[in-house]
Amino acid sequence: LGATVASRMSAELYERVFGIAMIAVLLPILRGQKKKRSEGTVEQRSRFMNAAIFFAIGFYGGSIQAGVGIFVIAALARSGLDLVRANAVKVILVGALTLVALPVFILQGQIDWPFALAMASGFALGGELGARAAARGGERLIKPVLVLSVLALAGRMLGVY
């Protein structure tokens, strides 16, 4: 019983921290785009700082993976990429991360194939439609969808609903 309560408290704490982190990553996305519009250029960032940020995201993505896409987008926006390009890079990185992790789960027999195939089909269709919409709508479309998605996830993690 004690271990179950401790595990539950640990999961709730993780969810709260993750929810706060999700809100925090919106700031560089929103701030970076404002600077780009008002100044015409994005200020150069230290290579060491960018390397440290991307290493931390890589470590997180490799070990936990949940929500890594939003961290990637925030870091890329901080580095000066617009949201359309940042999203494209995120898709490639998350795909590569999934391809590395997938054999481990297959070898451990931890994949429920009917659900996995249904989800993969949904990802493929959603990816196709989303890429077309992003290419047409650009940042005008991506930014509000990204902000609403992150706020919805953060609200759930923080226990708002």
Side-chain angles (χ1 to χ4, degrees):
L1 180 66
T4 303
V5 171
S7 174
R8 190 177 192 184
M9 287 176 59
S10 172
E12 288 176 10
L13 177 62
Y14 172 76
E15 286 182 4
R16 301 294 188 260
V17 169
F18 189 74
I20 292 168
M22 290 291 98
I23 292 171
V25 298
L26 277 179
L27 298 177
I29 292 169
L30 298 173
R31 188 174 28 123
Q33 299 308 311
K34 286 180 185 173
K35 283 183 181 179
K36 186 175 181 179
R37 283 194 196 106
S38 65
E39 298 172 11
T41 61
V42 176
E43 72 180 63
Q44 293 296 319
R45 304 290 183 173
S46 138
R47 285 184 177 200
F48 176 78
M49 181 58 80
N50 280 342
I53 289 169
F54 283 104
F55 177 83
I57 292 169
F59 182 80
Y60 175 83
S63 58
I64 297 173
Q65 194 170 8
V68 71
I70 187 64
F71 294 118
V72 170
I73 289 175
L76 291 170
R78 179 191 180 282
S79 297
L81 283 182
D82 62 82
L83 292 179
V84 175
R85 286 185 175 84
N87 192 48
V89 170
K90 180 235 12 172
V91 169
I92 292 168
L93 289 174
V94 171
L97 179 63
T98 301
L99 286 175
V100 170
L102 188 58
V104 175
F105 291 109
I106 291 172
L107 291 172
Q108 296 296 317
Q110 296 182 337
I111 297 181
D112 187 333
W113 287 104
F115 288 121
L117 293 173
M119 186 180 287
S121 298
F123 278 152
L125 180 59
E128 172 72 20
L129 296 175
R132 287 181 188 275
R136 269 189 250 122
E139 206 163 303
R140 225 178 45 250
L141 173 70
I142 291 176
K143 187 184 280 187
V145 170
L146 180 65
V147 170
L148 289 173
S149 299
V150 169
L151 290 175
L153 176 62
R156 168 66 178 93
M157 294 291 127
L158 292 170
V160 173
Y161 51 86

